[in-house]
Amino acid sequence: MNLHYKKERGSVILNKKEWAGEYQTNNVFIAFKIKKKIFEKQSKYQKITIYDSIELGRIFFLDDVVMLTEKDEFMYHEMLVHPTMGQLDSPKKVLIIGGGDGGTLREALKYPIEKATLVEIDKDVIEASKKYLPFTGKSFMDKRANIIVGDGAKFVAETDEKFDAVFVDSADPVGDCAVLFSEKFIGDIHKILNKGGIVVAQSESPFYDFVVVKDYLKFMKKYFTHSLTYLGFVPTYPSGMWSYVMARDMEIGIPKEKVKGLKYFNPVIFQAAQALPNWMCNTLYPI
Ligand code: SAM
């Protein structure tokens, strides 16, 4: 069999000049061979680092955690956005919490919406994405993009605007992101959705962080009549098995493929993505 790469053998002593990576747990480390570091800055909130890598294009880290790679980010952003946008009838206004790289914004703007409001706490992430991650950052130039620098939880609690969809594109539930995994945050989102509106959030790796998946679904069930967890592949996220949780106050339907040229999402894959392994559904669905 002609593999696309020659597998090295034996353990690798990582030379810091050649490799960059992330501790996915305290005992599991993923490493990427890099060409060069192209940006690094300690912002008010976190360390922002962007590399050019040999195999995966640009890689964007926050506090040494992978946020996206150029090669696989479409898998995450398409599965966060299109299962929702594909089942809403002519959505006009969407809200994105976090998502400072612009990938979720790019996918939402593929629909004929009037406005996409994005609330990102760290303006340095937006500026670095515009400059060094053009494949996602160019979405900030769209005239329908309404960019707010601030805390997403505060915005959701205080806004009197209503939205057809809310996308929670947070990082891991630590630091400033922790509040985006709280029950109150979901309750506040429930208040700002239009009738039939949908909220969807990334809910971490079921393989390593199943408690987050469980809690997020529990919070959704507390406020919405219908909710579900679905899966997607993101090769460079911890375990490569990723989860999303979706909720609305009406039956969750089968999305249509309203946008051409998508590389991951299609209506059938969303249905398949709801089929969960026994160890997940045995715990999640008695909730
Ligand atoms: N897709 C990535 C993932 O799943 O890890 C995360 C996307 S994005 C880079 C996450 C963003 O959330 C970061 O830019 C971070 O600055 C932002 N963020 C963290 N806490 C926030 C908060 N309370 N309000 C708004 N944005 C926040």
Side-chain angles (χ1 to χ4, degrees):
M1 180 167 65
N2 181 17
L3 290 177
H4 80 283
Y5 55 88
K6 186 178 79 57
K7 261 192 180 305
E8 298 289 336
R9 293 278 179 248
S11 66
V12 176
I13 309 294
L14 295 183
N15 166 343
K16 272 204 174 282
K17 287 200 189 62
E18 284 186 333
W19 295 83
E22 171 192 349
Y23 277 99
Q24 294 192 340
T25 75
N26 290 336
N27 312 300
V28 174
F29 188 84
I30 184 171
F32 310 95
K33 212 165 203 177
I34 53 172
K35 289 180 196 162
K36 65 179 185 326
K37 183 188 290 184
I38 50 173
F39 177 77
E40 184 153 274
K41 176 175 185 179
Q42 182 62 45
S43 81
K44 185 179 157 201
Y45 297 95
Q46 52 215 333
K47 182 175 71 172
I48 306 166
T49 316
I50 299 174
Y51 291 94
D52 255 339
S53 76
I54 292 178
E55 190 148 337
L56 300 172
R58 298 241 152 137
I59 305 183
F60 162 40
F61 289 83
L62 287 180
D63 286 342
D64 299 324
V65 174
V66 172
M67 293 292 119
L68 66 78
T69 81
E70 188 171 355
K71 191 162 182 182
D72 74 351
E73 56 84 7
F74 75 93
M75 301 170 88
Y76 169 81
H77 292 117
E78 286 191 20
M79 280 305 273
L80 183 68
V81 173
H82 299 286
T84 287
M85 297 300 277
Q87 62 179 294
L88 286 172
D89 295 330
S90 58
K92 298 273 177 294
K93 293 203 291 185
V94 304
L95 172 65
I96 299 163
I97 302 295
D101 48 69
T104 301
L105 180 63
R106 178 195 65 203
E107 294 306 314
L109 290 170
K110 287 178 179 173
Y111 294 81
I113 56 175
E114 285 168 11
K115 186 167 77 164
T117 297
L118 182 140
V119 184
E120 161 61 54
I121 202 163
D122 191 341
K123 69 173 173 33
D124 289 328
V125 170
I126 295 171
E127 293 315 312
S129 301
K130 280 181 188 171
K131 203 160 169 211
Y132 301 106
L133 305 172
F135 48 92
T136 53
K138 68 176 179 309
S139 58
F140 291 110
M141 313 312 167
D142 189 301
K143 59 181 184 334
R144 295 170 295 163
N146 169 35
I147 310 304
I148 297 171
V149 175
D151 174 35
K154 189 168 177 306
F155 175 86
V156 161
E158 295 172 359
T159 185
D160 49 16
E161 229 182 318
K162 292 272 187 183
F163 300 90
D164 299 306
V166 177
F167 300 100
V168 185
D169 182 10
S170 65
D172 297 336
V174 293
D176 299 291
C177 255
V179 69
L180 307 182
F181 290 79
S182 69
E183 184 177 318
K184 177 181 181 315
F185 177 62
I186 301 302
D188 289 340
I189 289 177
H190 186 248
K191 293 179 201 148
I192 63 170
L193 276 170
N194 283 321
K195 190 171 175 332
I198 300 177
V199 57
V200 62
Q202 72 89 3
S203 55
E204 298 289 307
S205 157
F207 185 71
Y208 285 128
D209 294 309
F210 189 41
V211 64
V212 178
V213 180
K214 200 155 56 73
D215 285 351
Y216 223 136
L217 182 64
K218 207 164 64 190
F219 297 159
M220 293 289 193
K221 284 189 176 308
K222 186 158 179 175
Y223 293 99
F224 292 88
T225 58
H226 295 76
S227 55
L228 59 82
T229 294
Y230 63 96
L231 302 177
F233 296 111
V234 188
T236 54
Y237 281 1
S239 82
M241 174 188 200
W242 212 247
S243 75
Y244 308 85
V245 55
M246 177 188 282
R248 72 186 312 191
D249 278 337
M250 58 189 274
E251 197 74 36
I252 291 173
I254 298 173
K256 297 186 185 73
E257 192 163 1
K258 297 180 182 174
V259 169
K260 292 294 164 240
L262 298 178
K263 296 190 291 183
Y264 189 106
F265 167 80
N266 60 61
V268 175
I269 208 167
F270 175 61
Q271 288 176 277
Q274 297 169 50
L276 304 179
N278 289 350
W279 57 273
M280 284 187 71
C281 43
N282 291 346
T283 308
L284 290 182
Y285 289 115
I287 293 178

